[in-house]
Amino acid sequence: MTLVLEAVVFGILTGGVYALMASGLTLIFGVMRIINVGHGALVILGAYLSFALLRSANIDPFVSLVITMPAMFLLGVVLQIVFIRPLKDDREALSVLVTYAIALGIEGLLGYLFTNNFVQLNAWYETASFAVFGFHIAYVYLFGFGLCLAILAAIFVVLYRTTFGSAVRATMLNRTAAQLVGVNVDRVSAIAFGIGVSTAAAGGVIFGMTNAFNPGSHYDLISRLLTIIVLGGLGSLRGAVIAAVAMLIIEDVTAVVISPVWASFAFFLLLVVVLVVRPQGLYGIRVRERI
Amino acid sequence: MRSPARVRAAKWTALVILVVVAVLLPVFETDPATVNVAVFTAMYVGLATAWNIMGGYTGYVSLGHAAFFGFGAYAFGLVLAHLGIQAGYEPFVFVPVAGALTVVLALVIGWIALRTRAATFVIVTIAMMFMIQLLAENLVGLTGGGSGLSFPVPPWSGDFFDTPFYYAMLVMALVSLAISWWIRRSKFGLGLLAIRDDEDKALAVGVPAHAYKLTAFMISAGLVGMIGAIYGYYVTYIYPQYAIDPLVGISLVLMVFLGGLGTLWGPVLGAVILEPAQLWLAYNFGASRLYLVFYAAVFLVVILLLPRGIVPSVGDLVKRMTARRAIGPSDTASTSSDTHTVAGVQSP
């Protein structure tokens, strides 16, 4: 029982990280109607940027976010303008290919620069831990969870309390109508993509401290993130956050109760069950457009 | 003026020449390295053509076809092992068994995945692929797990080894093309195109959309599974990350987009251009992982410069030229009919 409780707590703490990464992905989908298959690779890129700063300048991974998040924001804006904006017809299908290519490019480049050996971000709070109900939790999980909550809260505030947020939500609801009432959807799209990519940097740091990673790790990551946003309903931030936490709890509990090798499988199985019952996901609307 | 009969004769002649060249290739080119490239090219011609039945005609983009490819390979290996088939030519007879098993898997996956549309469908197929990969890894008693599954090794010498596999892949490519061609001309194919253009309208005019989509998915997956089976026998040893490789699933999609989505010859053209290029990049830059960067660059250039693919773009060009040459307005009208249907039957 203690083990299950421990699994639930870990599920919530790691679920926060996935919630952050998935919210960036679902925000991008919501605003642009594109699936960013490169999101996992961007997370890994963020982790490697912090890794490089840690190794070369001995900058604490959390502190390095001050540098990496704006850098990744700019990268996101550039990627959107150069690769996503030119897509006119058949956006959904073509965007998958374009972002997949971005993922491959990042994977190849990281493999060239850092080799394919697994690395991990190290810091004192990763080994130090505190006791709760008789089990130990490393500080990194708590700090990471706190950071995720802070960034998620910031995203919600921007979306629901600012003029820019209204423009973003209007674009999500109806791109053409938003354009008609004077929203610069191209600018909104570029900034939203930048925000999504900079959350990937933050997610990458926490992912990199709690997991060993290599340039190929993005496949595993993106399959999970995509599953989460489908489960939550494409384009729904709230759905993504709830789905992320639910998925991670189920995964961790499965690992304890059944076996760690089936943990990821339970993750995907939940998706199948939800699709059979509710094809549009938790908070989604039924997709009526053709691809 | 080009008469339809002459055009048709020219197309058939071109097709026959193409097939003859493909069949005679190992006779004239005996270098095993070249035949090896030909095996993989023929493999991707078949894969891309089979994928196009679902992704191109029906408009459901699946990024999870690598699952059927790997499943076919695993199913084939297990069938051979359980029936105690000896290495040699005999295993090829059992390739359709692997195909049939893959069709059953596609029925299950398709039944669930096809409840969703558009972007959700794309994501669900990706998730399904990773599920199959996890199963291959975790069902250790059946698949051997991470340590892999080995096939009987054919007793052919090094120089000749690739040749039977080349013909097997060529047969599968031709079978896929024949099926793709037949579907294109059938009422079933028309139904698929209607689903692609507007599924709700297709339903309204009486197209049994769900049954049609599922059938197309099963045909597409079955062909891919059979090709996967031959691949497994060719490489003689498979393990989960290698047999169910996301890169295979995305490569064939890129080939279809390069050649022309939803056209008969587009996938063939895309595979013939990209697969040798991919092998060359992997051979020359594989060690440094830089080949992924080059491949990504090829990818981006193709999609940003030729988003509609070669066959439709060239088809448009030809039509524009003929339209300019035509005198009467009636000619111009007839040549500017639906680009998709006309472009689909352009000669190679």
Side-chain angles (χ1 to χ4, degrees), chain A residues 35 83 92 94 96-97 100-101 104-105 107-109 116 223 226 230 234 261 264-265 268 271-272 275-276 286 288 290-291, chain B residues 59 63 112 115 117-120 123-124 127 130-131 134-135 138 196-197 200 246-247 250 257 289 292-293 296 299-300 303-304:
Chain A
I35 307 164
F83 296 122
E92 277 180 7
L94 288 177
V96 168
L97 294 177
Y100 207 114
L104 286 181
E107 183 190 345
L109 202 63
N116 275 346
S223 63
L226 290 174
V230 165
L234 284 177
V261 296
S264 306
F265 194 74
F268 293 126
L271 174 75
V272 172
L275 285 179
V276 170
R286 248 201 130 116
R288 283 282 175 217
R290 66 188 188 87
I291 194 153
Chain B
L63 290 189
I112 298 164
R115 298 167 66 87
R117 289 186 188 180
T120 318
I123 297 176
V124 171
F130 284 101
M131 272 179 90
L134 274 169
L135 281 178
N138 289 352
R196 179 189 68 186
D197 289 340
D200 293 318
L247 205 55
I250 194 77
F257 270 87
R289 308 288 296 169
L292 281 177
V293 180
F299 232 107
L300 291 169
I303 295 160
L304 295 177

Short mmCIF file of all heavy atoms in Angstrom, two decimals, chain A residues 35 83 92 94 96-97 100-101 104-105 107-109 116 223 226 230 234 261 264-265 268 271-272 275-276 286 288 290-291, chain B residues 59 63 112 115 117-120 123-124 127 130-131 134-135 138 196-197 200 246-247 250 257 289 292-293 296 299-300 303-304:
data_model
loop_
_atom_site.label_atom_id
_atom_site.label_comp_id
_atom_site.label_asym_id
_atom_site.label_seq_id
_atom_site.Cartn_x
_atom_site.Cartn_y
_atom_site.Cartn_z
N ILE A 35 0.54 19.52 -35.83
CA ILE A 35 1.08 18.61 -34.83
C ILE A 35 2.59 18.77 -34.84
O ILE A 35 3.23 18.50 -35.85
CB ILE A 35 0.72 17.16 -35.15
CG1 ILE A 35 -0.78 17.03 -35.35
CG2 ILE A 35 1.20 16.24 -34.06
CD1 ILE A 35 -1.16 15.75 -36.03
N PHE A 83 9.68 27.51 -41.42
CA PHE A 83 9.20 26.20 -41.86
C PHE A 83 7.68 26.02 -41.80
O PHE A 83 7.11 25.29 -42.59
CB PHE A 83 9.86 25.09 -41.06
CG PHE A 83 11.34 25.01 -41.26
CD1 PHE A 83 12.21 25.13 -40.19
CD2 PHE A 83 11.86 24.83 -42.53
CE1 PHE A 83 13.57 25.06 -40.38
CE2 PHE A 83 13.22 24.76 -42.73
CZ PHE A 83 14.08 24.89 -41.66
N GLU A 92 -2.09 20.09 -41.89
CA GLU A 92 -1.89 19.09 -40.84
C GLU A 92 -0.91 18.01 -41.26
O GLU A 92 0.03 17.70 -40.55
CB GLU A 92 -3.22 18.48 -40.43
CG GLU A 92 -3.94 19.34 -39.43
CD GLU A 92 -5.27 18.77 -38.99
OE1 GLU A 92 -5.58 17.63 -39.37
OE2 GLU A 92 -5.99 19.47 -38.28
N LEU A 94 1.27 18.02 -43.87
CA LEU A 94 2.59 18.54 -44.20
C LEU A 94 3.35 18.98 -42.94
O LEU A 94 4.55 18.80 -42.84
CB LEU A 94 2.49 19.70 -45.19
CG LEU A 94 2.11 19.30 -46.61
CD1 LEU A 94 1.97 20.53 -47.48
CD2 LEU A 94 3.13 18.36 -47.20
N VAL A 96 3.23 17.69 -40.06
CA VAL A 96 3.79 16.50 -39.40
C VAL A 96 5.13 16.16 -40.01
O VAL A 96 6.12 15.92 -39.32
CB VAL A 96 2.82 15.30 -39.54
CG1 VAL A 96 3.51 14.02 -39.12
CG2 VAL A 96 1.58 15.51 -38.71
N LEU A 97 5.19 16.21 -41.35
CA LEU A 97 6.44 15.87 -42.03
C LEU A 97 7.53 16.91 -41.73
O LEU A 97 8.68 16.57 -41.47
CB LEU A 97 6.22 15.76 -43.53
CG LEU A 97 5.31 14.62 -43.97
CD1 LEU A 97 5.11 14.65 -45.46
CD2 LEU A 97 5.90 13.29 -43.56
N TYR A 100 8.66 16.61 -38.20
CA TYR A 100 9.42 15.36 -38.07
C TYR A 100 10.85 15.57 -38.58
O TYR A 100 11.83 15.12 -37.99
CB TYR A 100 8.76 14.24 -38.87
CG TYR A 100 9.02 12.86 -38.35
CD1 TYR A 100 7.99 12.10 -37.82
CD2 TYR A 100 10.30 12.31 -38.35
CE1 TYR A 100 8.22 10.83 -37.34
CE2 TYR A 100 10.53 11.04 -37.86
CZ TYR A 100 9.48 10.31 -37.35
OH TYR A 100 9.72 9.06 -36.85
N ALA A 101 10.94 16.31 -39.69
CA ALA A 101 12.26 16.62 -40.24
C ALA A 101 13.07 17.45 -39.25
O ALA A 101 14.27 17.24 -39.08
CB ALA A 101 12.12 17.35 -41.57
N LEU A 104 14.39 15.11 -36.71
CA LEU A 104 15.53 14.34 -37.22
C LEU A 104 16.79 15.20 -37.27
O LEU A 104 17.88 14.75 -36.91
CB LEU A 104 15.24 13.81 -38.63
CG LEU A 104 14.27 12.66 -38.76
CD1 LEU A 104 14.12 12.27 -40.21
CD2 LEU A 104 14.75 11.47 -37.95
N GLY A 105 16.62 16.45 -37.71
CA GLY A 105 17.76 17.36 -37.80
C GLY A 105 18.38 17.60 -36.43
O GLY A 105 19.60 17.55 -36.26
N GLU A 107 18.07 15.64 -33.80
CA GLU A 107 18.65 14.38 -33.32
C GLU A 107 20.04 14.16 -33.94
O GLU A 107 21.00 13.83 -33.24
CB GLU A 107 17.73 13.21 -33.68
CG GLU A 107 18.23 11.87 -33.14
CD GLU A 107 17.46 10.69 -33.70
OE1 GLU A 107 16.38 10.88 -34.27
OE2 GLU A 107 17.97 9.56 -33.57
N GLY A 108 20.13 14.41 -35.24
CA GLY A 108 21.40 14.21 -35.93
C GLY A 108 22.47 15.16 -35.42
O GLY A 108 23.61 14.78 -35.16
N LEU A 109 22.08 16.42 -35.25
CA LEU A 109 23.02 17.45 -34.80
C LEU A 109 23.52 17.15 -33.38
O LEU A 109 24.72 17.23 -33.10
CB LEU A 109 22.33 18.81 -34.84
CG LEU A 109 23.23 20.04 -34.91
CD1 LEU A 109 24.04 20.02 -36.19
CD2 LEU A 109 22.38 21.31 -34.85
N ASN A 116 26.12 9.54 -28.96
CA ASN A 116 24.86 8.93 -28.55
C ASN A 116 24.90 8.35 -27.14
O ASN A 116 24.00 7.62 -26.74
CB ASN A 116 24.47 7.84 -29.55
CG ASN A 116 23.73 8.44 -30.73
OD1 ASN A 116 23.29 9.58 -30.68
ND2 ASN A 116 23.60 7.67 -31.79
N SER A 223 6.04 10.23 -28.29
CA SER A 223 4.90 9.32 -28.34
C SER A 223 4.04 9.48 -27.08
O SER A 223 2.82 9.44 -27.14
CB SER A 223 5.37 7.87 -28.49
OG SER A 223 6.12 7.47 -27.37
N LEU A 226 2.23 13.06 -27.31
CA LEU A 226 1.12 13.04 -28.27
C LEU A 226 -0.06 12.29 -27.69
O LEU A 226 -1.21 12.69 -27.82
CB LEU A 226 1.56 12.42 -29.59
CG LEU A 226 2.54 13.25 -30.42
CD1 LEU A 226 3.00 12.47 -31.64
CD2 LEU A 226 1.90 14.55 -30.86
N VAL A 230 -3.82 13.89 -27.07
CA VAL A 230 -5.02 13.29 -27.66
C VAL A 230 -6.00 12.92 -26.56
O VAL A 230 -7.21 13.14 -26.66
CB VAL A 230 -4.67 12.05 -28.51
CG1 VAL A 230 -5.90 11.24 -28.83
CG2 VAL A 230 -4.01 12.49 -29.79
N LEU A 234 -7.36 17.44 -28.29
CA LEU A 234 -6.40 18.30 -28.97
C LEU A 234 -6.75 19.77 -28.80
O LEU A 234 -7.87 20.18 -29.02
CB LEU A 234 -6.35 17.97 -30.46
CG LEU A 234 -5.59 16.70 -30.82
CD1 LEU A 234 -5.69 16.45 -32.32
CD2 LEU A 234 -4.15 16.80 -30.39
N VAL A 261 8.12 -3.16 -16.86
CA VAL A 261 8.16 -3.26 -18.32
C VAL A 261 6.79 -3.01 -18.94
O VAL A 261 6.68 -2.67 -20.11
CB VAL A 261 8.71 -4.62 -18.81
CG1 VAL A 261 10.15 -4.79 -18.39
CG2 VAL A 261 7.85 -5.77 -18.37
N SER A 264 4.73 1.52 -19.56
CA SER A 264 4.45 2.33 -20.74
C SER A 264 3.25 1.78 -21.50
O SER A 264 2.50 2.51 -22.12
CB SER A 264 5.64 2.35 -21.68
OG SER A 264 6.77 2.77 -21.01
N PHE A 265 3.10 0.46 -21.44
CA PHE A 265 2.00 -0.16 -22.17
C PHE A 265 0.66 0.28 -21.59
O PHE A 265 -0.28 0.58 -22.32
CB PHE A 265 2.13 -1.68 -22.13
CG PHE A 265 1.25 -2.36 -23.13
CD1 PHE A 265 1.58 -2.34 -24.48
CD2 PHE A 265 0.10 -3.01 -22.74
CE1 PHE A 265 0.77 -2.95 -25.42
CE2 PHE A 265 -0.72 -3.63 -23.67
CZ PHE A 265 -0.37 -3.60 -25.01
N PHE A 268 -0.38 3.57 -22.98
CA PHE A 268 -1.01 3.57 -24.30
C PHE A 268 -2.37 2.88 -24.28
O PHE A 268 -3.28 3.24 -25.03
CB PHE A 268 -0.10 2.89 -25.32
CG PHE A 268 1.17 3.66 -25.59
CD1 PHE A 268 2.40 3.06 -25.46
CD2 PHE A 268 1.11 4.99 -25.96
CE1 PHE A 268 3.56 3.78 -25.71
CE2 PHE A 268 2.26 5.72 -26.21
CZ PHE A 268 3.48 5.10 -26.07
N LEU A 271 -5.14 5.12 -23.58
CA LEU A 271 -5.53 5.87 -24.77
C LEU A 271 -6.55 5.08 -25.59
O LEU A 271 -7.58 5.62 -26.01
CB LEU A 271 -4.30 6.18 -25.63
CG LEU A 271 -4.61 6.85 -26.97
CD1 LEU A 271 -4.97 8.30 -26.77
CD2 LEU A 271 -3.45 6.73 -27.93
N VAL A 272 -6.28 3.78 -25.79
CA VAL A 272 -7.18 2.94 -26.57
C VAL A 272 -8.56 2.91 -25.92
O VAL A 272 -9.58 3.11 -26.58
CB VAL A 272 -6.61 1.51 -26.69
CG1 VAL A 272 -7.63 0.57 -27.32
CG2 VAL A 272 -5.33 1.53 -27.51
N LEU A 275 -10.33 6.16 -26.38
CA LEU A 275 -10.77 6.37 -27.77
C LEU A 275 -12.01 5.58 -28.10
O LEU A 275 -12.86 6.02 -28.87
CB LEU A 275 -9.65 6.00 -28.74
CG LEU A 275 -8.52 6.99 -28.85
CD1 LEU A 275 -7.47 6.50 -29.81
CD2 LEU A 275 -9.04 8.35 -29.29
N VAL A 276 -12.12 4.38 -27.52
CA VAL A 276 -13.30 3.56 -27.77
C VAL A 276 -14.53 4.24 -27.18
O VAL A 276 -15.59 4.30 -27.79
CB VAL A 276 -13.11 2.14 -27.20
CG1 VAL A 276 -14.41 1.36 -27.25
CG2 VAL A 276 -12.03 1.40 -27.98
N ARG A 286 -15.39 17.11 -31.37
CA ARG A 286 -15.23 16.14 -32.45
C ARG A 286 -14.67 16.82 -33.68
O ARG A 286 -15.18 17.85 -34.11
CB ARG A 286 -16.57 15.51 -32.78
CG ARG A 286 -16.55 14.06 -32.37
CD ARG A 286 -17.57 13.26 -33.07
NE ARG A 286 -16.89 12.10 -33.61
CZ ARG A 286 -17.16 10.87 -33.21
NH1 ARG A 286 -18.07 10.65 -32.32
NH2 ARG A 286 -16.53 9.87 -33.75
N ARG A 288 -14.24 17.60 -37.29
CA ARG A 288 -15.06 17.41 -38.48
C ARG A 288 -14.33 17.84 -39.75
O ARG A 288 -14.85 17.75 -40.84
CB ARG A 288 -16.37 18.22 -38.36
CG ARG A 288 -17.39 17.56 -37.45
CD ARG A 288 -18.09 16.42 -38.17
NE ARG A 288 -18.98 15.72 -37.26
CZ ARG A 288 -19.17 14.41 -37.29
NH1 ARG A 288 -18.53 13.67 -38.16
NH2 ARG A 288 -19.99 13.84 -36.45
N ARG A 290 -11.40 17.70 -42.64
CA ARG A 290 -10.60 16.64 -43.25
C ARG A 290 -9.14 17.07 -43.20
O ARG A 290 -8.84 18.26 -43.12
CB ARG A 290 -11.03 16.39 -44.69
CG ARG A 290 -10.75 17.56 -45.61
CD ARG A 290 -11.37 17.32 -46.95
NE ARG A 290 -10.94 18.37 -47.85
CZ ARG A 290 -9.84 18.30 -48.54
NH1 ARG A 290 -9.05 17.26 -48.43
NH2 ARG A 290 -9.51 19.27 -49.36
N ILE A 291 -8.28 16.07 -43.27
CA ILE A 291 -6.86 16.38 -43.13
C ILE A 291 -6.32 16.90 -44.46
O ILE A 291 -6.80 16.54 -45.51
CB ILE A 291 -6.08 15.13 -42.69
CG1 ILE A 291 -4.70 15.50 -42.22
CG2 ILE A 291 -6.04 14.06 -43.73
CD1 ILE A 291 -4.14 14.54 -41.23
N GLY B 59 -7.02 9.51 -47.68
CA GLY B 59 -6.74 10.76 -46.98
C GLY B 59 -6.48 10.59 -45.49
O GLY B 59 -6.46 11.57 -44.76
N LEU B 63 1.13 7.34 -39.62
CA LEU B 63 2.58 7.35 -39.40
C LEU B 63 3.01 6.08 -38.67
O LEU B 63 4.13 5.96 -38.23
CB LEU B 63 2.99 8.58 -38.57
CG LEU B 63 2.89 9.91 -39.29
CD1 LEU B 63 3.54 10.99 -38.46
CD2 LEU B 63 3.58 9.85 -40.64
N ILE B 112 -10.29 0.66 -33.98
CA ILE B 112 -10.18 1.69 -32.94
C ILE B 112 -9.70 3.02 -33.52
O ILE B 112 -10.32 4.06 -33.30
CB ILE B 112 -9.20 1.22 -31.83
CG1 ILE B 112 -9.74 -0.04 -31.17
CG2 ILE B 112 -8.98 2.32 -30.81
CD1 ILE B 112 -8.72 -0.80 -30.38
N ARG B 115 -11.94 5.44 -35.57
CA ARG B 115 -12.99 6.22 -34.91
C ARG B 115 -12.59 7.69 -34.87
O ARG B 115 -13.42 8.56 -34.60
CB ARG B 115 -13.20 5.72 -33.48
CG ARG B 115 -13.67 4.28 -33.43
CD ARG B 115 -13.57 3.76 -32.02
NE ARG B 115 -14.49 4.44 -31.11
CZ ARG B 115 -15.73 4.07 -30.92
NH1 ARG B 115 -16.21 3.04 -31.58
NH2 ARG B 115 -16.50 4.72 -30.08
N ARG B 117 -10.35 11.10 -36.62
CA ARG B 117 -10.06 11.64 -37.95
C ARG B 117 -8.86 12.57 -37.87
O ARG B 117 -8.43 12.97 -36.80
CB ARG B 117 -11.24 12.46 -38.45
CG ARG B 117 -12.44 11.63 -38.82
CD ARG B 117 -13.48 12.53 -39.43
NE ARG B 117 -14.73 11.81 -39.62
CZ ARG B 117 -15.81 12.37 -40.15
NH1 ARG B 117 -15.78 13.63 -40.51
NH2 ARG B 117 -16.89 11.66 -40.31
N ALA B 118 -8.40 12.94 -39.06
CA ALA B 118 -7.40 13.99 -39.23
C ALA B 118 -6.24 13.86 -38.26
O ALA B 118 -5.63 12.80 -38.16
CB ALA B 118 -8.08 15.37 -39.10
N ALA B 119 -5.94 14.93 -37.53
CA ALA B 119 -4.74 14.98 -36.69
C ALA B 119 -4.77 13.88 -35.62
O ALA B 119 -3.74 13.26 -35.32
CB ALA B 119 -4.63 16.34 -36.03
N THR B 120 -5.94 13.64 -35.05
CA THR B 120 -6.03 12.63 -34.00
C THR B 120 -5.65 11.26 -34.55
O THR B 120 -4.95 10.49 -33.90
CB THR B 120 -7.45 12.58 -33.41
OG1 THR B 120 -7.91 13.92 -33.24
CG2 THR B 120 -7.46 11.89 -32.08
N ILE B 123 -1.91 10.86 -34.75
CA ILE B 123 -1.29 10.61 -33.44
C ILE B 123 -1.59 9.20 -32.95
O ILE B 123 -0.72 8.53 -32.41
CB ILE B 123 -1.78 11.67 -32.43
CG1 ILE B 123 -1.33 13.06 -32.90
CG2 ILE B 123 -1.25 11.37 -31.05
CD1 ILE B 123 -1.82 14.18 -32.04
N VAL B 124 -2.84 8.76 -33.16
CA VAL B 124 -3.19 7.43 -32.69
C VAL B 124 -2.35 6.37 -33.40
O VAL B 124 -1.88 5.41 -32.77
CB VAL B 124 -4.71 7.17 -32.88
CG1 VAL B 124 -5.05 5.72 -32.61
CG2 VAL B 124 -5.51 8.07 -31.97
N ALA B 127 0.95 6.23 -31.69
CA ALA B 127 0.85 5.54 -30.40
C ALA B 127 0.74 4.03 -30.60
O ALA B 127 1.38 3.26 -29.88
CB ALA B 127 -0.36 6.06 -29.62
N PHE B 130 4.10 2.44 -31.23
CA PHE B 130 4.91 2.23 -30.04
C PHE B 130 4.34 1.12 -29.16
O PHE B 130 5.09 0.42 -28.48
CB PHE B 130 5.06 3.54 -29.26
CG PHE B 130 6.05 4.46 -29.91
CD1 PHE B 130 5.63 5.52 -30.68
CD2 PHE B 130 7.41 4.24 -29.78
CE1 PHE B 130 6.55 6.35 -31.31
CE2 PHE B 130 8.34 5.06 -30.40
CZ PHE B 130 7.90 6.12 -31.17
N MET B 131 3.02 0.93 -29.22
CA MET B 131 2.43 -0.19 -28.48
C MET B 131 2.92 -1.52 -29.03
O MET B 131 3.28 -2.43 -28.27
CB MET B 131 0.90 -0.14 -28.59
CG MET B 131 0.24 0.68 -27.53
SD MET B 131 -1.55 0.71 -27.75
CE MET B 131 -2.01 -0.69 -26.77
N LEU B 134 6.46 -2.06 -28.02
CA LEU B 134 6.55 -2.48 -26.62
C LEU B 134 6.17 -3.95 -26.47
O LEU B 134 6.79 -4.69 -25.70
CB LEU B 134 5.62 -1.63 -25.76
CG LEU B 134 6.18 -0.32 -25.24
CD1 LEU B 134 5.05 0.51 -24.64
CD2 LEU B 134 7.22 -0.60 -24.17
N LEU B 135 5.13 -4.38 -27.20
CA LEU B 135 4.71 -5.77 -27.13
C LEU B 135 5.85 -6.68 -27.62
O LEU B 135 6.14 -7.71 -27.00
CB LEU B 135 3.46 -6.01 -27.98
CG LEU B 135 2.13 -5.58 -27.34
CD1 LEU B 135 0.98 -5.84 -28.31
CD2 LEU B 135 1.89 -6.36 -26.05
N ASN B 138 8.30 -6.83 -24.83
CA ASN B 138 7.89 -7.39 -23.54
C ASN B 138 7.44 -8.85 -23.59
O ASN B 138 7.53 -9.55 -22.59
CB ASN B 138 6.77 -6.55 -22.93
CG ASN B 138 7.27 -5.21 -22.46
OD1 ASN B 138 8.47 -4.97 -22.44
ND2 ASN B 138 6.38 -4.35 -22.07
N ARG B 196 -11.95 10.95 -48.87
CA ARG B 196 -10.84 11.89 -48.72
C ARG B 196 -11.34 13.32 -48.93
O ARG B 196 -10.97 14.23 -48.19
CB ARG B 196 -9.76 11.58 -49.76
CG ARG B 196 -8.58 12.55 -49.69
CD ARG B 196 -7.64 12.36 -50.86
NE ARG B 196 -8.26 12.76 -52.11
CZ ARG B 196 -7.70 12.60 -53.30
NH1 ARG B 196 -6.54 12.00 -53.39
NH2 ARG B 196 -8.30 13.01 -54.38
N ASP B 197 -12.17 13.51 -49.93
CA ASP B 197 -12.59 14.87 -50.25
C ASP B 197 -13.55 15.44 -49.22
O ASP B 197 -13.46 16.60 -48.85
CB ASP B 197 -13.20 14.92 -51.65
CG ASP B 197 -12.13 14.72 -52.70
OD1 ASP B 197 -10.94 14.92 -52.37
OD2 ASP B 197 -12.46 14.33 -53.84
N ASP B 200 -18.16 13.42 -44.60
CA ASP B 200 -19.56 13.54 -44.22
C ASP B 200 -20.47 13.55 -45.45
O ASP B 200 -21.53 12.92 -45.47
CB ASP B 200 -19.78 14.81 -43.39
CG ASP B 200 -19.07 14.70 -42.05
OD1 ASP B 200 -19.14 13.61 -41.45
OD2 ASP B 200 -18.43 15.67 -41.61
N PRO B 246 10.50 3.83 -36.42
CA PRO B 246 9.68 4.98 -36.84
C PRO B 246 10.22 5.64 -38.11
O PRO B 246 9.45 6.19 -38.89
CB PRO B 246 9.80 5.95 -35.66
CG PRO B 246 10.21 5.14 -34.50
CD PRO B 246 10.98 3.98 -35.04
N LEU B 247 11.53 5.53 -38.32
CA LEU B 247 12.14 6.14 -39.50
C LEU B 247 11.63 5.50 -40.80
O LEU B 247 11.46 6.16 -41.81
CB LEU B 247 13.67 6.03 -39.40
CG LEU B 247 14.48 7.05 -40.16
CD1 LEU B 247 14.08 8.46 -39.78
CD2 LEU B 247 15.96 6.84 -39.89
N ILE B 250 8.16 6.94 -41.49
CA ILE B 250 8.13 8.32 -41.98
C ILE B 250 8.79 8.41 -43.35
O ILE B 250 8.37 9.21 -44.20
CB ILE B 250 8.79 9.28 -40.96
CG1 ILE B 250 8.45 10.73 -41.28
CG2 ILE B 250 10.28 9.10 -40.88
CD1 ILE B 250 7.09 11.14 -40.88
N PHE B 257 4.84 11.73 -50.60
CA PHE B 257 4.65 13.17 -50.76
C PHE B 257 5.54 13.73 -51.86
O PHE B 257 5.13 14.60 -52.61
CB PHE B 257 4.91 13.91 -49.44
CG PHE B 257 3.68 14.04 -48.60
CD1 PHE B 257 3.32 13.03 -47.73
CD2 PHE B 257 2.87 15.15 -48.70
CE1 PHE B 257 2.17 13.13 -46.97
CE2 PHE B 257 1.72 15.27 -47.94
CZ PHE B 257 1.37 14.26 -47.07
N ARG B 289 26.34 10.32 -37.53
CA ARG B 289 24.95 10.71 -37.27
C ARG B 289 24.55 11.94 -38.09
O ARG B 289 23.43 12.39 -38.03
CB ARG B 289 24.68 11.03 -35.79
CG ARG B 289 25.11 9.96 -34.83
CD ARG B 289 24.25 8.74 -34.86
NE ARG B 289 22.88 9.02 -34.43
CZ ARG B 289 21.89 8.16 -34.56
NH1 ARG B 289 22.09 7.02 -35.13
NH2 ARG B 289 20.68 8.46 -34.14
N LEU B 292 21.42 12.11 -40.57
CA LEU B 292 20.08 12.52 -40.17
C LEU B 292 19.84 13.99 -40.51
O LEU B 292 18.76 14.38 -40.93
CB LEU B 292 19.88 12.30 -38.67
CG LEU B 292 19.58 10.87 -38.23
CD1 LEU B 292 19.47 10.80 -36.73
CD2 LEU B 292 18.30 10.36 -38.87
N VAL B 293 20.89 14.82 -40.32
CA VAL B 293 20.77 16.24 -40.63
C VAL B 293 20.56 16.43 -42.13
O VAL B 293 19.69 17.18 -42.56
CB VAL B 293 22.02 17.01 -40.16
CG1 VAL B 293 21.89 18.48 -40.48
CG2 VAL B 293 22.22 16.81 -38.66
N ALA B 296 17.12 15.27 -43.06
CA ALA B 296 16.15 16.28 -42.66
C ALA B 296 16.13 17.44 -43.65
O ALA B 296 15.06 17.95 -44.01
CB ALA B 296 16.48 16.80 -41.26
N PHE B 299 14.26 16.38 -46.74
CA PHE B 299 12.88 16.41 -46.30
C PHE B 299 12.28 17.81 -46.44
O PHE B 299 11.26 18.03 -47.09
CB PHE B 299 12.92 16.12 -44.80
CG PHE B 299 12.03 15.02 -44.35
CD1 PHE B 299 12.56 13.80 -44.00
CD2 PHE B 299 10.68 15.23 -44.25
CE1 PHE B 299 11.75 12.79 -43.53
CE2 PHE B 299 9.87 14.23 -43.78
CZ PHE B 299 10.39 13.01 -43.43
N LEU B 300 12.94 18.80 -45.82
CA LEU B 300 12.41 20.16 -45.75
C LEU B 300 12.36 20.78 -47.14
O LEU B 300 11.39 21.44 -47.51
CB LEU B 300 13.26 21.01 -44.81
CG LEU B 300 13.12 20.62 -43.34
CD1 LEU B 300 14.17 21.31 -42.49
CD2 LEU B 300 11.73 20.97 -42.81
N ILE B 303 9.42 19.29 -49.10
CA ILE B 303 8.08 19.71 -48.68
C ILE B 303 7.85 21.20 -48.94
O ILE B 303 6.77 21.60 -49.37
CB ILE B 303 7.85 19.38 -47.21
CG1 ILE B 303 7.86 17.87 -47.04
CG2 ILE B 303 6.52 19.93 -46.73
CD1 ILE B 303 8.12 17.44 -45.64
N LEU B 304 8.88 22.00 -48.72
CA LEU B 304 8.67 23.44 -48.89
C LEU B 304 8.66 23.84 -50.37
O LEU B 304 7.96 24.77 -50.75
CB LEU B 304 9.73 24.23 -48.12
CG LEU B 304 9.63 24.04 -46.60
CD1 LEU B 304 10.74 24.78 -45.89
CD2 LEU B 304 8.28 24.51 -46.07
#
